[in-house]
């Protein structure tokens, strides 16, 4: 009888917990409905609707334009090539970090991750310092690669190297190496054992990493805007051009819809591969799989990966720092404190304080919304409604940030949401990008908490809030701090939406860098390098803090 009552109590506790989780979804759903779906819908409607009538024939008219088809082709082509190059360059690094133990590994891991958390504007600026006008290659050999597709492809590999290393390497380090060793003992060659045993187990992680790299490069904006020049344009860059320069909202709306459909398909594939990865593998403790390299071949591989990191990842950042000093020492940094009365209504250095304030506010919003969403998604056996909600949270990573920013100006301009003149618009836009990182960081840890602990607390009379506070929070506190760090880093670097809504007297760092690069003159170029260096240092410090907090169970990144 007591056992029966206990089971009834547990069932009731599970029902209350499920109801509470569904209730928690209400706040993130409302946030995304008001600050994501509404602005995007508003700008699409403004472009395709006139006199109360939808002009859907405009879609065919836009797609019939040869320049639009060229943009679609280049967007897809460069994303495919960027993804292939990133996998080719980064998979050896994933193996080294997964299977080798060597001095300086943690420092090298942090160095690998720095480019991923850097704003795309800084990435573009770093490669401009390396391959652009007055860059290192230009000074040494008179070679310039800016305004060429190679500069864009190399910058994309630089930016996404960590995605492959962290995603694939994280799983590779937990695969039991004895399975591959058993295949070799049965007569298989090293390559055959890897191809038949390890590769199938890694396939979901490789596919997930490839899809994320494709998503980031398909929607690339800052890198292409700076390095591509007028010759190359992705969908995101073309949406910006049609919106801010040509003022053709109907074409921008059609391009936004195309990008939305493509991103939805990519995210659906990504969700499928992640579910395969979560359920198909038996993993071991990552700490027992890494060992010191053995033999000349393994040491050569390690040396090659270190050289790749040094040349591909660290060299552009080093050149960026060197160009920020130039021949004037601290002259460019001193100039940041001067009000030129031109493109800036305040001294450019004030963008540092603006960015930090905006990023703190965005982090608070992202952690609140993302934390509630992660708790709501805790159950693995959730239904289609909850899985659909999970996919919704990822959409801001791929939907045009330019569209979101311009949509803010159009949609949030009358009561009760007259926010166009409010400073809060910038943190809201930045939080939209930060929420997916918060969810992806906290969700694995929340799912690792034994549900029976929550049920026991509920049986003892604890409310769902108290059960979460007493059971979950102590276990996920570190993941929460890591999530906050990532939200802060990505908020600092948000550019696509912020470029529309940041007020001229209060620019953020990425907006200030872009404005300086858009003006002629060595002083403006040097100031852009100096501001980019400051932004890089702030992001790197945030990353080092994350590395100290990170555990093997704290998300992918």
């Amino acid at each position: 009888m007591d056992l029966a009552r206990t089971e009834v109590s547990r069932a009731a506790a599970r029902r209350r917990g499920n109801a509470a989780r569904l209730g928690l979804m209400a706040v993130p759903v409302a946030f995304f409905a008001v600050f994501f779906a509404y602005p995007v819908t508003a700008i699409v409607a403004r472009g395709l609707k006139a006199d109360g009538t939808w002009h859907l024939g405009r879609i065919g008219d836009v797609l019939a334009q040869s320049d639009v088809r060229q943009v679609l082709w280049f967007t897809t082509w460069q994303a495919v090539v960027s993804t292939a190059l990133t996998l080719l360059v980064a998979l050896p690094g994933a193996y080294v970090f997964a299977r080798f133990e060597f001095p300086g590994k943690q420092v090298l891991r942090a160095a690998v991750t720095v480019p991923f958390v850097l704003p795309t504007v800084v990435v573009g600026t770093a490669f401009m310092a390396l391959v652009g006008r007055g860059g290192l290659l230009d000074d040494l050999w008179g070679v310039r690669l800016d305004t060429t597709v190679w500069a864009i492809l190399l910058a994309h590999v630089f930016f996404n190297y960590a995605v492959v290393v962290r995603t694939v390497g994280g799983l590779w380090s937990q695969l039991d190496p004895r399975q591959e060793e058993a295949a070799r003992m049965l007569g298989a060659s090293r390559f055959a054992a890897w191809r038949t045993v390890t590769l199938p187990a890694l396939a979901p992680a490789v596919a997930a990493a490839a899809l994320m790299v494709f998503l980031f490069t398909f929607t690339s904006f800052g890198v292409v805007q700076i390095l591509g020049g007028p010759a190359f344009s992705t969908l995101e860059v073309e949406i910006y051009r049609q919106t801010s320069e040509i003022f053709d909202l109907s074409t921008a709306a059609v391009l936004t819809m195309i990008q939305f459909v493509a991103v939805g398909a990519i995210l659906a594939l990504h969700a499928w591969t992640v579910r395969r990865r979560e359920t198909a593998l038996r993993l071991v403790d990552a700490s027992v799989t890494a060992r010191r390299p053995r033999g000349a071949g393994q040491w050569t591989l390690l040396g090659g990966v270190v050289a790749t990191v040094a040349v591909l990842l660290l060299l552009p950042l080093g050149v960026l720092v060197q160009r920020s000093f130039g021949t004037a020492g601290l002259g460019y940094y001193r100039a940041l404190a001067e009000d030129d009365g031109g493109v800036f209504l305040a001294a450019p250095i004030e963008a540092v304080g603006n960015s930090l304030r905006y990023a703190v506010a965005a982090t608070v919003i992202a952690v609140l919304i993302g934390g509630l969403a992660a708790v709501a998604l805790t159950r693995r056996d959730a239904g289609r409604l909850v899985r659909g909600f999970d996919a919704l949270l990822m959409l801001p990573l791929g939907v045009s940030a330019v569209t979101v920013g311009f949509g803010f100006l159009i949609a949030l301009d009358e009561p009760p949401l007259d926010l166009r003149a409010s400073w809060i618009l910038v943190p809201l836009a930045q939080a939209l990008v930060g929420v997916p990182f918060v969810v992806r960081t906290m969700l694995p840890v929340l799912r690792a908490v034994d549900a029976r602990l929550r049920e026991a607390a509920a049986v003892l009379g604890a409310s769902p809030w108290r059960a979460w506070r007493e059971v979950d929070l102590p276990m996920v506190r570190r993941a929460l701090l890591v999530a906050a760090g990532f939200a802060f880093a990505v908020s600092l670097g948000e550019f696509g939406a912020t470029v529309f809504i940041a007020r001229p007297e209060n620019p953020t760092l990425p907006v200030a860098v872009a404005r300086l690069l858009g003006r002629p003159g060595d002083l403006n170029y040097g100031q852009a390098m100096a501001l980019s260096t400051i932004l890089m240092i702030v992001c790197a410090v945030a990353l080092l803090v994350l590395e100290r907090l990170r555990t093997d169970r704290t998300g992918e990144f």
Side-chain angles (χ1 to χ4, degrees):
M1 183 65 70
D2 291 339
L3 181 60
R5 281 198 297 268
T6 300
E7 289 299 324
V8 171
S9 298
R10 287 181 175 175
R14 282 194 293 269
R15 288 194 295 271
R16 289 195 300 271
N18 290 338
R21 274 188 286 271
L22 290 175
L24 291 175
M25 287 174 56
V27 176
V29 166
F31 178 81
F32 274 78
V34 174
F35 298 113
F36 179 67
Y38 177 45
V40 171
T41 303
I43 194 171
V44 170
R46 181 70 65 91
L48 297 181
K49 193 175 182 181
D51 301 323
T53 303
W54 286 91
H55 297 275
L56 299 181
R58 180 60 179 159
I59 298 176
D61 295 339
V62 171
L63 291 177
Q65 299 174 18
S66 59
D67 56 341
V68 170
R69 292 199 301 271
Q70 179 62 33
V71 168
L72 291 173
W73 165 247
F74 176 73
T75 301
T76 305
W77 175 84
Q78 64 83 27
V80 170
V81 176
S82 295
T83 302
L85 285 176
T86 304
L87 290 175
L88 180 65
V89 174
L91 282 176
Y95 176 79
V96 164
F97 281 103
R99 295 302 196 200
F100 291 168
E101 194 64 49
F102 53 91
K105 181 177 179 179
Q106 295 304 319
V107 175
L108 191 64
R109 184 196 298 273
V112 163
T113 314
V114 165
F116 179 74
V117 301
L118 287 179
T120 56
V121 170
V122 173
V123 175
T125 307
F127 273 82
M128 181 70 73
L130 180 63
V131 302
R133 172 182 59 86
L136 180 64
L137 296 185
D138 191 16
D139 288 348
L140 293 178
W141 299 295
V143 176
R144 289 181 54 183
L145 296 179
D146 60 323
T147 70
T148 71
V149 70
W150 279 107
I152 296 171
L153 296 178
L154 289 174
H156 283 162
V157 175
F158 168 92
F159 185 76
N160 292 292
Y161 186 92
V163 176
V164 177
V165 169
R166 292 281 187 158
T167 303
V168 180
L171 179 61
W172 210 334
S173 66
Q174 293 179 281
L175 293 180
D176 192 343
R178 291 173 297 184
Q179 297 177 358
E180 189 172 323
E181 293 169 2
R184 295 197 63 196
M185 290 180 63
L186 294 174
S189 65
R190 183 183 297 275
F191 176 75
W194 179 83
R195 180 176 56 82
T196 57
V197 177
T198 303
L199 182 59
L202 286 176
V206 174
L211 286 169
M212 289 308 297
V213 173
F214 184 86
L215 174 65
F216 292 143
T217 53
F218 187 85
T219 58
S220 182
F221 177 57
V223 167
V224 180
Q225 178 79 352
I226 292 175
L227 295 176
F232 302 103
S233 181
T234 57
L235 269 173
E236 187 82 348
V237 174
E238 187 64 17
I239 291 170
Y240 175 78
R241 190 174 74 89
Q242 294 290 339
T243 302
S244 63
E245 299 177 7
I246 303 177
F247 304 106
D248 186 350
L249 291 186
S250 61
T251 298
V254 172
L255 297 179
T256 296
M257 294 172 64
I258 294 171
Q259 183 164 307
F260 185 84
V261 171
V263 167
I266 295 169
L267 290 177
L269 280 173
H270 182 265
W272 179 73
T273 58
V274 168
R275 284 198 298 273
R276 285 187 60 200
R277 177 181 169 187
E278 287 181 343
T279 58
L281 300 174
R282 291 183 178 179
L283 306 179
V284 298
D285 187 352
S287 63
V288 303
T289 62
R291 53 179 173 76
R292 289 183 62 84
R294 300 173 184 172
Q298 292 188 354
W299 280 106
T300 300
L301 177 61
L302 174 59
V305 169
V306 172
T308 299
V309 171
V311 174
L312 178 65
L313 304 186
L314 300 184
L315 179 61
L317 300 181
V319 173
L320 172 65
V321 175
Q322 186 271 329
R323 294 301 185 198
S324 73
F325 291 100
T327 59
L330 295 175
Y332 294 142
Y333 289 91
R334 295 192 187 99
L336 293 177
E338 300 174 2
D339 181 4
D340 65 358
V343 71
F344 293 104
L345 301 181
I349 194 64
E350 294 185 14
V352 178
N354 296 334
S355 287
L356 292 175
R357 287 191 293 271
Y358 288 143
V360 169
T363 299
V364 173
I365 298 171
V367 169
L368 175 62
I369 300 299
L372 292 175
V375 173
L377 293 167
T378 299
R379 287 177 61 88
R380 290 180 180 270
D381 57 349
R384 292 182 179 179
L385 176 63
V386 177
R387 288 199 297 269
F389 174 59
D390 191 9
L392 169 69
L393 297 174
M394 296 291 290
L395 282 177
L397 290 181
V399 172
S400 170
V402 170
T403 300
V404 173
F406 197 58
F408 270 30
L409 297 181
I410 290 176
L412 306 179
D413 63 342
E414 58 186 27
L417 289 172
D418 187 4
L419 302 176
R420 188 160 58 178
S422 174
W423 66 273
I424 197 63
L425 273 187
V426 175
L428 287 172
Q430 294 173 342
L432 282 172
V433 182
V435 166
F437 289 92
V438 173
V439 174
R440 296 272 76 82
T441 301
M442 293 187 62
L443 191 55
V445 181
L446 283 169
R447 283 179 171 171
V449 177
D450 193 338
R452 292 172 296 183
L453 296 176
R454 303 188 189 100
E455 295 171 4
V459 169
L460 293 174
S463 64
W465 160 247
R466 184 175 180 184
W468 186 86
R469 187 184 64 195
E470 299 292 341
V471 176
D472 293 69
L473 183 58
M475 298 184 181
V476 302
R477 186 179 291 114
R478 181 169 293 184
L480 185 64
L481 293 173
V482 172
F486 273 119
F488 181 79
V490 299
S491 297
L492 277 175
E494 204 291 318
F495 176 62
T498 308
V499 70
F500 277 98
I501 57 182
R503 299 180 67 81
E505 66 273 18
N506 293 307
T508 62
L509 276 168
V511 172
V513 170
R515 289 179 183 174
L516 287 167
L517 286 176
R519 303 175 69 188
D522 291 338
L523 178 60
N524 291 313
Y525 180 81
Q527 286 180 290
M529 298 294 161
L531 269 184
S532 296
T533 300
I534 293 172
L535 185 51
M536 178 188 69
I537 292 172
V538 174
C539 290
V541 169
L543 177 65
L544 290 175
V545 173
L546 292 184
E547 278 296 316
R548 291 183 63 87
L549 293 172
R550 180 184 175 272
T551 65
D552 287 335
R553 298 171 69 181
T554 304
E556 301 251 332
F557 289 98

